[in-house]
Amino acid sequence: MYLSSTENARSASPEGLVENGSLQPLNRDRFWRNLTLAPAILLFLALTILPMVNLAVLSLHDIDWAQGLSSWTYVGLKHYASLAADSLFKASILNTLVFSTVAVSVQMVLGFALALLTSSIVHGRLFYRTVFLLPILVPGIIIGAIWKLMFSFDFGVLNQMAGAIGIMPRDWLGDATYSLASIIVVDIWHWTPFCFLLLLASLETLPQDVYEASDIDGATRWQSLWYITIPLMLPAIAVTFVFRLILAFKVFDEVYLLTGGGPGTSTEVVSFTIFRRFFTEDRPGYGSAMSITTFAFIALMIIVVSAVTRRKGSTS
Amino acid sequence: MSAAYSAPLRSTLFRHGLLVIAAALVLFPFLWIVAAAFKTQISLLTGQLLFQPTLANFVNVLFSSTSDYVRNFSNSLVIASASTVLVLVVATLAAYSLQCMQWPSWVLHSMLGWSVIFHMVPPITLAGAWYSMFRTIGLDNTYTGLILAHTTLNLPMALWMMGVFVRDVPKELIEAAKIDGAGTPRILRHVIVPLVRPGLAAAGILSFIFSWNEFAVVLTLSQRQTATVPVAIGKYAQENTIAYTEMAAASVLSMMPAVLLLLIAQRFIVRGLTTGAVK
Amino acid sequence: MNFSAKIRGALIAVFTLPLAFMSVSHAQDQVPITIVINQSPWFAGFQTVVGQYQEKTGNTVSLDVNPFAGSLEKQRSAVRSKESPYDILIMNAGFFIEMYKGGFLSPLNDIDPKFALDKDLYTFDDSVYWDPSTNKIDAKTGKLMSVPINPFIPILHYRSDLYAEKGLKVPETWDDLLANAKALNNPPSMYGIVQRGARGTFDVTYDVLPYIWSYGGGLLKDQKAGDYTIIVNSPETKAGMEMYLKLAKEAGHPSTAGQTQANVLQNMATGKAGNIIAVLAASIFDDPNQSAVVDKVGFAPPPHAPGFQSSPGLGHWLGGIPKNIPGDRQKAALAFLNWFQSKDAQMAYAEAGSPPVSRAVLESDLGNQPKYRWMKALSKGLTTARLPFFIPESAQILAITELGFNQIISGQTTVNDGLNNMAKEMEKVMTAAGYKAPLLPDLKD
């Protein structure tokens, strides 16, 4: 979406300048143009750029406290250099990649399927829609607590059900074989509705006449799904995917309560490692370097993903 | 889709079957939460299926002298509503400005690009910086500070969504309004806002919910007077135990306004989306 | 049903609370203060005492209660800002040194030269004193920095009913405990012992320490004397670690590496654990709403190796006053702490269900009542309790040991490799922080 809208702006601007013939309306336009964008710019400047600059500066320093005062020591790129040797950070990057790609892929498929199913039925749409939207209403902290109990080795409902059908109980969160998968399951439960919401919104704005035409041509349901719905929805799918991927990359609350990154490093995720280094260990310099490296990493990922989708979009 | 009308009965039943299974999977943890809210801790831990329901958890959450739940709840309402309104205003204005007012492309690039980048930042890393800024100018532990923080956190998402909706507004309508002599405020009020209403509803609901659920930033920026529901719920995760049943009771209460909102706004979203589809 | 009684209680509280405030508001002689504290099983008792203080003196005390996880971060932010919103910080054994060393707290005698710690109060390995010139805990040269608030140490909780039934004796050594645990072990309905092995901020390390200390091992040799030799891979530490693993393997939970403190307590509360070692949780186990083992849990200090003493780690809490608040607020804060350490307040604190920090109260006749049967175990355990960290780098060291111990327990690494690896990483952290921290030779098979 982000890339396609810039295309739009680029093509729109030259005509616009030509159309605004006289100077008077141009000035008035400019006034409104600046005024309408100003609040967003101000918020971004004050509450995002400033703290991010702060992070960048921090990442080049060591901070010590004595007599209630801080002393900053410039250490250059030392923190960035030591990232390479941080085995916890490496483990967390890997886990987060696995976590977010697996979780988001499943969420996209399920969300799309649910959106298709919901839009294809006549009665009860409202009910299903409401039910599927429920999980995003629940604070992550509650999700963590409730699933922790459901996963519990000794008291959890999962092991009770497994026991009822003769399966050995498993320690879903405490055994490194299952822990990451368990977290992924929770995330799928929590965030599939989000994909569902965005995909359904896009599905319902698709032009009906195309379908009517294809009905006349005798296209099967699968054909119209494959050749009409999916291509038309590709931009929405891409946006939803990227959007969810970013959110998944930030996963924190759930992991914090469910496993605390363990057992071992099996569920250590990036924002948790950052939190640990930055706050728990109180190493803001090193933690900032880790944050900034992570942004760079994700930014790269997003650029690659949107480049790929754009190429696909332009060839089709 | 219109195809559904011609679908045979069997496939309709099949679809409903799938949807019911999905709905059951989604609902199960909710039933669990609700049941837990009426249990004692020990009956929850021993996994009793039949239990004598107790209201003690709700009484403790609402009336116990160690609980600030009622205040937390009203704080959540104030902060989530105000930040939602604010973020919708800011995002719609910015989306209109960026999409319809001939900014050089680098401005659009950098605004949307920055939204993406900022959106990647785990909020926890900014919370420390925000605290020291707010503390310096006296905005820590105030509604204003928390509302501004949540507005900022939700701005990238709202800007994205409103950007898409505003872009889809037919430019001819705007041009026609301009020819009729309408200024920017009138175009916004009479052309843009009515047409992007579905977007406003969707972005608004998501902002409200994200603000309602946000934990890490409120924990850092608030004290007792301004703490919101998630912080109250977080307190049941104590040093050595998790008071699951009281946590569940607090959670059930916390979900009520959001569920209510969903039930009301649901119709609005559907209507909005169908109007959009006809255009 | 006690529900209607609770409703009634709540209603009475709601209606009489304003009256209580009105009747005393004129007596106030100190400015209002705010205490930052975390939610915990002993918080209710603390709140009762605060209520009594307000009633008796008319001074206003508000409590900013936080989830356990957020308390340290809030305190850090507060003391580093221009003026702290909090007047008393309730600090855990895991992080109070950071507050001392950073110079964030006001020595209590700077606020009132005449203030003295009640002679009956525990000082918990001298952790209330700090010498800023040497950056060390030192009772002789140091200044009084804080007043103890809570005396948490790990305590052995055992099923006294089952012990009586099977004729078991309260264990003295780890081998005694192993024998008892084996006698009770009948999985999956009953585990002989449930140990916390999960990784957290100061979780598995805290629970491993009583084992490795009581075999003469540990993390650093003698922090108090300034000897930072890394002994985490000493044969003594290994012996303690192996005892921990033996208990887990022969009579423990099938997934010890995944057990958190909450899991451990839940196992005891639901009657699935014969023994646990955890911070005092009597208030949970004697509450019929939370426990199936009311009055069936006995308490004792943690066991030890033959020839050594029981070695629980201090997990206590201290109350300190920040430097960055005005003098009148510091005075008001000290007035509260002074009242809190009085015998009356300590008695009320104990009666409200929280473990007191006054030796006189802990060793009083109260301990003979069944309800307070934990007091004797706690006071005995405190005589040999040790402070885990005397240096402010605890968080970085814990990040290493939490992962390391958890990996050993889960079987991801061998004992030797795990301990050797931790030693090397600790050496890096210690050296970078400027300590002389020699390594021992690697453990070999």
Side-chain angles (χ1 to χ4, degrees):
Chain A
M1 170 221 74
Y2 152 58
L3 287 159
S4 53
S5 55
T6 59
E7 298 300 327
N8 194 339
R10 210 176 284 148
S11 60
S13 45
E15 312 164 28
L17 283 176
V18 179
E19 266 172 43
N20 284 313
S22 71
L23 204 64
Q24 186 62 25
L26 192 68
N27 273 344
R28 205 175 53 208
D29 275 2
R30 189 155 281 171
F31 168 76
W32 282 108
R33 188 179 83 163
N34 295 344
L35 191 73
T36 45
L37 197 60
I41 299 244
L42 275 179
L43 269 182
F44 272 158
L45 273 181
L47 292 179
T48 72
I49 307 259
L50 211 61
M52 288 277 271
V53 169
N54 189 28
L55 272 187
V57 175
L58 261 177
S59 73
L60 305 175
H61 289 84
D62 261 334
I63 292 138
D64 282 311
W65 289 84
Q67 272 89 52
L69 297 169
S70 64
S71 60
W72 294 45
T73 323
Y74 179 76
V75 295
L77 295 174
K78 184 187 96 177
H79 293 315
Y80 291 92
S82 39
L83 274 177
D86 190 334
S87 57
L88 199 63
F89 184 55
K90 276 187 273 185
S92 69
I93 291 264
L94 193 68
N95 285 336
T96 311
L97 279 176
V98 172
F99 169 88
S100 47
T101 45
V102 173
V104 174
S105 305
V106 177
Q107 286 160 13
M108 289 299 294
V109 172
L110 286 179
F112 192 56
L114 287 177
L116 277 177
L117 279 172
T118 308
S119 71
S120 74
I121 58 163
V122 185
H123 301 290
R125 267 197 211 192
L126 195 68
F127 169 75
Y128 292 122
R129 225 193 283 253
T130 312
V131 168
F132 295 145
L133 292 183
L134 272 174
I136 50 171
L137 304 183
V138 189
I141 190 145
I142 300 175
I143 303 221
I146 297 300
W147 280 87
K148 195 180 175 82
L149 199 56
M150 299 213 307
F151 277 135
S152 160
F153 181 84
D154 294 293
F155 327 105
V157 71
L158 280 176
N159 278 346
Q160 283 173 358
M161 290 197 297
I165 52 170
I167 300 173
M168 275 288 286
R170 309 243 190 279
D171 194 355
W172 302 105
L173 297 173
D175 183 333
T177 323
Y178 311 109
S179 49
L180 189 61
S182 301
I183 304 262
I184 290 176
V185 166
V186 176
D187 197 72
I188 290 171
W189 182 83
H190 192 183
W191 287 112
T192 298
F194 186 83
C195 301
F196 167 78
L197 179 74
L198 294 193
L199 292 176
L200 184 67
S202 140
L203 199 58
E204 300 215 319
T205 51
L206 291 184
Q208 290 297 302
D209 42 0
V210 189
Y211 286 95
E212 279 149 23
S214 80
D215 272 357
I216 294 164
D217 290 348
T220 66
R221 198 174 305 286
W222 288 110
Q223 281 172 333
S224 61
L225 173 68
W226 191 249
Y227 294 106
I228 302 175
T229 312
I230 290 182
L232 278 178
M233 284 185 63
L234 216 52
I237 291 174
V239 168
T240 312
F241 188 80
V242 173
F243 202 82
R244 256 311 297 153
L245 209 59
I246 297 172
L247 278 179
F249 227 88
K250 292 199 293 191
V251 63
F252 180 80
D253 296 14
E254 297 157 357
V255 174
Y256 189 73
L257 262 173
L258 283 170
T259 61
T265 54
S266 62
T267 58
E268 184 81 24
V269 290
V270 171
S271 66
F272 199 68
T273 312
I274 293 176
F275 171 76
R276 202 192 283 282
R277 299 288 194 226
F278 198 111
F279 290 103
T280 316
E281 293 174 30
D282 194 29
R283 295 160 73 191
Y286 185 59
S288 305
M290 201 176 265
S291 302
I292 286 179
T293 310
T294 312
F295 310 151
F297 184 78
I298 306 177
L300 198 74
M301 225 169 61
I302 289 175
I303 290 167
V304 171
V305 169
S306 35
V308 169
T309 41
R310 181 161 60 157
R311 189 174 307 157
K312 275 211 182 123
S314 59
T315 50
S316 64
Chain B
M1 251 69 337
S2 58
Y5 290 98
S6 57
L9 181 67
R10 209 178 43 184
S11 104
T12 310
L13 280 180
F14 177 67
R15 282 183 198 143
H16 275 286
L18 284 180
L19 284 169
V20 165
I21 292 172
L25 285 175
V26 169
L27 282 178
F28 181 74
F30 285 99
L31 296 178
W32 178 275
I33 299 176
V34 174
F38 290 98
K39 288 184 177 181
T40 58
Q41 179 92 350
I42 188 67
S43 92
L44 179 76
L45 291 182
T46 48
Q48 292 176 358
L49 283 179
L50 295 171
F51 60 96
Q52 196 186 357
T54 169
L55 285 176
N57 298 313
F58 289 97
V59 173
N60 283 343
V61 166
L62 291 174
F63 302 116
S64 148
S65 57
T66 57
S67 167
D68 286 322
Y69 194 78
V70 177
R71 175 154 49 175
N72 299 141
F73 200 91
S74 66
N75 288 344
S76 275
L77 276 178
V78 170
I79 291 164
S81 320
S83 68
T84 300
V85 170
L86 198 58
V87 82
L88 288 182
V89 171
V90 173
T92 311
L93 288 178
Y96 175 70
S97 191
L98 288 172
Q99 300 289 351
C100 309
M101 299 191 86
Q102 287 101 37
W103 282 97
S105 69
W106 68 266
V107 175
L108 183 72
H109 264 300
S110 35
M111 280 301 278
L112 292 178
W114 181 250
S115 294
V116 179
I117 292 175
F118 170 63
H119 203 69
M120 303 179 324
V121 186
I124 192 91
T125 51
L126 290 182
W130 281 351
Y131 178 86
S132 46
M133 284 168 57
F134 283 175
R135 183 88 194 134
T136 315
I137 51 176
L139 278 181
D140 67 308
N141 194 22
T142 62
Y143 284 149
T144 316
L146 288 164
I147 291 166
L148 282 176
H150 277 183
T151 305
T152 311
L153 282 181
N154 288 325
L155 188 56
M157 180 200 61
L159 201 57
W160 268 43
M161 292 183 75
M162 294 322 295
V164 173
F165 278 91
V166 170
R167 197 190 64 207
D168 289 346
V169 170
K171 296 285 172 293
E172 309 84 69
L173 287 182
I174 299 172
E175 290 309 318
K178 273 190 187 156
I179 290 163
D180 287 351
T184 303
R186 266 188 62 194
I187 295 178
L188 271 169
R189 198 167 346 127
H190 297 292
V191 180
I192 300 293
V193 168
L195 285 174
V196 299
R197 224 172 250 163
L200 286 171
I205 288 178
L206 289 179
S207 301
F208 185 89
I209 289 166
F210 288 161
S211 166
W212 187 272
N213 291 351
E214 200 284 325
F215 174 68
V217 170
V218 177
L219 180 66
T220 316
L221 296 182
S222 75
Q223 285 179 41
R224 192 180 182 185
Q225 297 83 358
T226 50
T228 58
V229 167
V231 176
I233 291 170
K235 276 189 229 163
Y236 294 105
Q238 302 183 351
E239 185 184 352
N240 304 310
T241 58
I242 300 180
Y244 282 108
T245 53
E246 289 181 23
M247 195 184 227
S251 309
V252 168
L253 292 172
S254 87
M255 286 187 289
M256 283 182 171
V259 170
L260 208 68
L261 184 90
L262 182 72
L263 290 177
I264 301 165
Q266 173 74 255
R267 290 162 213 275
F268 181 76
I269 294 178
V270 174
R271 206 176 338 128
L273 291 175
T274 36
T275 1
V278 180
K279 131 199 124 184
Chain C
M1 222 164 93
N2 65 355
F3 160 63
S4 57
K6 273 194 174 155
I7 285 257
R8 211 162 40 234
L11 286 179
I12 291 170
V14 166
F15 286 112
T16 54
L17 211 61
L19 293 177
F21 279 122
M22 276 193 284
S23 62
V24 294
S25 55
H26 61 274
Q28 182 167 335
D29 63 348
Q30 298 282 357
V31 295
I33 57 166
T34 304
I35 300 176
V36 59
I37 190 168
N38 69 294
Q39 182 66 265
S40 70
W42 52 273
F43 173 70
F46 188 79
Q47 195 179 32
T48 309
V49 177
V50 166
Q52 291 189 1
Y53 174 74
Q54 302 197 77
E55 244 168 67
K56 289 212 171 102
T57 62
N59 297 328
T60 310
V61 178
S62 15
L63 295 168
D64 187 37
V65 194
N66 291 283
F68 179 61
S71 207
L72 167 60
E73 284 71 29
K74 284 195 103 161
Q75 295 189 19
R76 261 190 204 138
S77 302
V79 294
R80 290 173 182 184
S81 67
K82 207 154 153 268
E83 183 180 319
S84 163
Y86 306 119
D87 306 292
I88 296 178
L89 312 177
I90 308 291
M91 309 170 292
N92 182 256
F95 63 79
F96 71 90
I97 291 181
E98 175 188 330
M99 295 293 169
Y100 288 179
K101 189 184 177 223
F104 298 120
L105 299 183
S106 173
L108 299 182
N109 290 112
D110 287 6
I111 301 167
D112 177 1
K114 289 201 291 287
F115 179 80
L117 212 56
D118 189 288
K119 63 179 187 344
D120 281 334
L121 246 52
Y122 290 100
T123 57
F124 302 109
D125 229 344
D126 300 334
S127 58
V128 292
Y129 302 103
W130 181 255
D131 186 341
S133 57
T134 57
N135 269 338
K136 283 208 172 74
I137 286 175
D138 196 326
K140 287 202 193 73
T141 59
K143 293 177 175 172
L144 180 63
M145 302 298 290
S146 59
V147 173
I149 301 290
N150 174 288
F152 268 171
I153 53 168
I155 293 284
L156 171 70
H157 298 56
Y158 61 90
R159 282 291 293 279
S160 50
D161 58 328
L162 299 179
Y163 267 44
E165 203 181 297
K166 304 231 170 188
L168 304 175
K169 281 210 311 244
V170 178
E172 273 296 319
T173 66
W174 295 110
D175 290 305
D176 296 344
L177 177 62
L178 178 64
N180 289 357
K182 275 179 164 172
L184 298 180
N185 197 31
N186 179 29
S189 60
M190 163 76 76
Y191 309 117
I193 182 167
V194 179
Q195 298 152 290
R196 164 164 68 170
R199 170 180 169 226
T201 44
F202 191 2
D203 293 14
V204 58
T205 312
Y206 186 70
D207 283 31
V208 164
L209 280 176
Y211 292 85
I212 60 179
W213 271 343
S214 85
Y215 277 90
L219 304 178
L220 302 166
K221 196 163 190 183
D222 191 348
Q223 301 173 56
K224 209 171 183 179
D227 181 350
Y228 302 107
T229 307
I230 290 162
I231 56 165
V232 76
N233 61 338
S234 65
E236 292 82 8
T237 305
K238 185 182 175 184
M241 196 64 222
E242 281 177 337
M243 189 70 222
Y244 179 102
L245 295 172
K246 197 172 178 191
L247 272 158
K249 194 170 163 226
E250 295 180 15
H253 193 281
S255 177
T256 297
Q259 297 294 302
T260 62
Q261 179 90 310
N263 291 140
V264 170
L265 297 184
Q266 282 165 15
N267 272 294
M268 188 52 129
T270 52
K272 295 192 80 169
N275 299 278
I276 62 167
I277 295 174
V279 294
L280 190 66
S283 62
I284 294 172
F285 298 138
D286 281 350
D287 173 358
N289 278 328
Q290 300 188 56
S291 153
V293 291
V294 174
D295 297 333
K296 290 177 185 165
V297 179
F299 305 89
H304 51 84
F308 288 92
Q309 57 186 20
S310 170
S311 312
L314 283 166
H316 63 302
W317 295 81
L318 299 167
I321 301 174
K323 203 176 253 174
N324 57 341
I325 56 171
D328 54 341
R329 281 168 59 191
Q330 289 185 328
K331 281 207 169 63
L334 191 60
F336 173 79
L337 289 176
N338 193 30
W339 183 83
F340 180 79
Q341 63 166 345
S342 70
K343 186 159 184 199
D344 284 352
Q346 286 295 308
M347 208 69 180
Y349 192 41
E351 281 165 358
S354 299
V357 286
S358 158
R359 184 179 281 112
V361 174
L362 207 54
E363 291 174 355
S364 72
D365 293 341
L366 221 52
N368 294 327
Q369 297 177 27
K371 193 182 159 197
Y372 303 105
R373 61 191 184 282
W374 45 267
M375 282 191 170
K376 290 212 164 80
L378 182 58
S379 64
K380 192 168 169 220
L382 280 171
T383 56
T384 55
R386 297 166 59 175
L387 187 64
F389 289 103
F390 288 74
I391 52 170
E393 286 76 13
S394 56
Q396 287 186 56
I397 291 177
L398 282 170
I400 296 165
T401 60
E402 286 288 310
L403 182 58
F405 286 130
N406 177 257
Q407 284 176 325
I408 293 174
I409 295 165
S410 70
Q412 277 184 313
T413 56
T414 63
V415 177
N416 283 355
D417 288 352
L419 296 180
N420 287 336
N421 201 14
M422 274 193 259
K424 285 188 195 91
E425 297 213 8
M426 278 171 64
E427 197 259 345
K428 267 191 247 163
V429 167
M430 293 296 286
T431 311
Y435 295 96
K436 214 178 111 211
L439 273 170
L440 297 179
D442 271 2
L443 284 166
K444 293 211 178 76
D445 302 315

